[in-house]
């Protein structure tokens, strides 16, 4: 990994929206995330004209600058990350999830974001070291998955820069 990269791998577990996928690429590029792992039904830039155009609409070229890989199985992707020493963390709401601002990451980190409606699949729950949530103070209890990624990734970038300097 280049030294200027944030030691974070972003795992998309069955994220279904082409536009959310594009937004993940753009945010990963902006904060210097190491790579994206597109899993299951998550759309990919190499799947055809419609997918490529929709992803490109929100990625604005980041689909060419951010390293990415596809895994049919999210569990297989997590196996590789776990073997490489990543702390695997699911980002989702829930009563037992740690508050983002109270959680201490262990680098490198793999952030798992799930399906827009269903979240991270239940079969993966035992595979993660922690569940982390963004504090929600309003009536709504969740954010768009790509918006949530921006908040979490930039908080990790802030922490990494603070610890380096």
């Amino acid at each position: 990994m280049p030294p200027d990269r944030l030691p974070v791998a972003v795992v998309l577990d069955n994220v279904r929206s082409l536009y959310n996928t594009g937004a993940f690429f753009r945010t990963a590029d902006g904060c210097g995330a190491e790579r994206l792992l597109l899993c299951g039904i998550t759309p990919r830039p190499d799947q055809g004209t419609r997918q490529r155009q929709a992803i490109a609409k929100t990625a604005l070229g980041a689909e060419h600058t951010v390293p990415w890989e596809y895994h049919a199985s999210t569990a297989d992707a997590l196996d590789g990350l776990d073997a490489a020493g990543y702390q695997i963390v699911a980002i989702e709401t829930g009563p037992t999830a740690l508050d983002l601002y109270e959680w201490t990451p262990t680098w490198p980190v793999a952030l798992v974001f799930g399906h827009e409606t269903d979240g991270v699949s239940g079969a993966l729950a035992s595979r993660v070291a922690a569940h982390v949530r963004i504090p929600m103070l309003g009536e709504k209890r969740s954010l768009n998955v790509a918006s949530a990624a921006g908040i979490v990734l930039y908080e990790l970038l802030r922490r990494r820069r603070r610890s380096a300097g």
Side-chain angles (χ1 to χ4, degrees), residues 23-155:
F24 271 98
F25 271 102
R26 191 166 172 191
T27 301
D29 177 74
C31 71
E34 177 186 314
R35 62 187 157 141
L36 287 176
L37 289 80
L38 311 177
C39 303
I41 66 166
T42 303
R44 306 184 316 264
D46 65 348
Q47 284 185 300
T49 303
R50 179 178 173 269
Q51 287 84 350
R52 188 171 43 256
Q53 289 174 342
I55 290 170
K57 184 174 184 169
T58 50
L60 294 178
E63 72 277 21
H64 302 295
T65 62
V66 174
W68 66 274
E69 56 200 60
Y70 173 71
H71 296 267
S73 163
T74 307
D76 290 346
L78 295 183
D79 284 343
L81 292 165
D82 188 43
Y86 285 76
Q87 178 187 28
I88 300 172
V89 177
I91 306 300
E92 47 183 13
T93 60
T96 61
L98 300 168
D99 184 297
L100 171 63
Y101 303 114
E102 295 173 5
W103 165 59
T104 302
T106 302
W107 308 101
V109 177
L111 300 175
V112 183
F113 293 89
H115 185 276
E116 291 88 340
T117 305
D118 302 330
V120 174
S121 63
L124 299 177
S126 64
R127 310 286 307 273
V128 301
H131 292 261
V132 173
R133 64 177 166 72
I134 297 167
M136 301 294 296
L137 304 179
E139 291 183 31
K140 302 301 175 190
R141 292 290 171 219
S142 68
L143 293 171
N144 167 277
V145 66
S147 297
I151 292 167
V152 175
L153 284 165
Y154 275 92
E155 172 61 12

